[in-house]
Amino acid sequence: RKEVEQDPGPFNVPEGATVAFNCTYSNSASQSFFWYRQDCRKEPKLLMSVYSSGNEDGRFTAQLNRASQYISLLIRDSKLSDSATYLCVVKGSSGYALNFGKGTSLLVTP
Amino acid sequence: SQTIHQWPATLVQPVGSPLSLECTVEGTSNPNLYWYRQAAGRGLQLLFYSVGIGQISSEVPQNLSASRPQDRQFILSSKKLLLSDSGFYLCAGLRASDNEQFFGPGTRLTVL
């Protein structure tokens, strides 16, 4: 089983729609969780960290369910500029490496 | 703020040629540094990471190697490139305060 699994999509949604991405991780000892955004042919950039209590940043909401080892990202009122690949990232309690999911592709259309 | 510099942005090399990609980091000392590869349509694959000068851990067997000659310098090398080495190579650091991984702009390598 892969460390971090995501639905690759693509998700094609109209502007203004709400879209949700899910991610599962296999290591129950994982301690840090993130969502990154990667535009085409660019490096990944941190979108937001994911906290146990859930957190919101504008139109973006991230949730963590430790019992189910599940992370989600909700995007409300989608914009054309939200089109990108969203990477789920998990770090264990030990070691130095982060585990990246393969990403979920989002295309927001006019 | 912490910044990763990588060059070149793109590179086209023939099979069998050597490779040297350099990464430097600003704004922090003694960072953990990483080399990732992203092949077309695939996720990020961790190749090497380094916790200090001269300390390299390899995550996957391959014909690539890495070196850390200075605290803020991380180099990815190959003696003979293969077609399968084509990909997007990303150098990254890790912010110790919150475990955020920050990336350089990447080098897009095409081996022909």
Side-chain angles (χ1 to χ4, degrees):
Chain A
R1 182 182 172 188
K2 292 191 173 67
E3 298 258 8
V4 180
E5 297 206 53
Q6 294 181 250
D7 180 345
F11 284 62
N12 293 339
V13 303
E15 266 187 296
T18 295
V19 62
F21 304 139
N22 302 320
C23 166
T24 57
Y25 60 96
S26 60
N27 184 354
S28 59
S30 298
Q31 292 293 320
S32 303
F33 309 89
F34 310 89
W35 283 102
Y36 277 70
R37 171 192 168 126
Q38 186 174 23
D39 292 298
C40 187
R41 303 179 74 82
K42 297 286 189 181
E43 74 274 24
K45 292 186 178 176
L46 179 68
L47 178 65
M48 58 197 304
S49 301
V50 187
Y51 303 118
S52 296
S53 55
N55 48 301
E56 187 174 309
D57 182 3
R59 298 181 292 108
F60 298 84
T61 301
Q63 297 272 347
L64 168 64
N65 183 323
R66 284 188 183 272
S68 302
Q69 294 178 207
Y70 170 98
I71 306 160
S72 66
L73 176 68
L74 183 77
I75 305 176
R76 291 182 298 279
D77 188 23
S78 298
K79 310 291 184 192
L80 296 177
S81 57
D82 293 334
S83 298
T85 297
Y86 291 83
L87 305 172
C88 176
V89 184
V90 174
K91 186 179 187 298
S93 58
S94 61
Y96 302 98
L98 278 69
N99 293 303
F100 285 77
K102 289 189 176 182
T104 298
S105 176
L106 172 66
L107 178 63
V108 181
T109 55
Chain B
S1 65
Q2 295 154 9
T3 307
I4 297 271
H5 298 281
Q6 281 185 254
W7 60 92
T10 58
L11 190 59
V12 180
Q13 292 284 106
V15 168
S17 64
L19 174 74
S20 181
L21 299 180
E22 188 166 343
C23 161
T24 58
V25 60
E26 281 183 9
T28 183
S29 58
N30 196 29
N32 289 349
L33 295 174
Y34 305 75
W35 277 110
Y36 289 90
R37 177 172 60 205
Q38 190 174 37
R42 296 193 172 185
L44 282 166
Q45 179 186 31
L46 179 63
L47 301 175
F48 301 95
Y49 68 88
S50 170
V51 301
I53 295 174
Q55 299 179 68
I56 308 293
S57 295
S58 174
E59 289 294 301
V60 292
Q62 59 219 319
N63 69 321
L64 299 170
S65 62
S67 62
R68 182 132 175 219
Q70 299 180 44
D71 182 45
R72 300 179 189 184
Q73 185 183 29
F74 200 23
I75 298 172
L76 183 70
S77 304
S78 174
K79 292 182 180 177
K80 286 186 178 181
L81 284 169
L82 306 173
L83 287 174
S84 57
D85 291 325
S86 293
F88 189 36
Y89 287 82
L90 290 155
C91 180
L94 186 70
R95 211 177 329 265
S97 57
D98 58 5
N99 284 325
E100 177 192 339
Q101 190 114 75
F102 55 101
F103 289 85
T107 294
R108 195 161 299 279
L109 171 67
T110 303
V111 182
L112 301 174

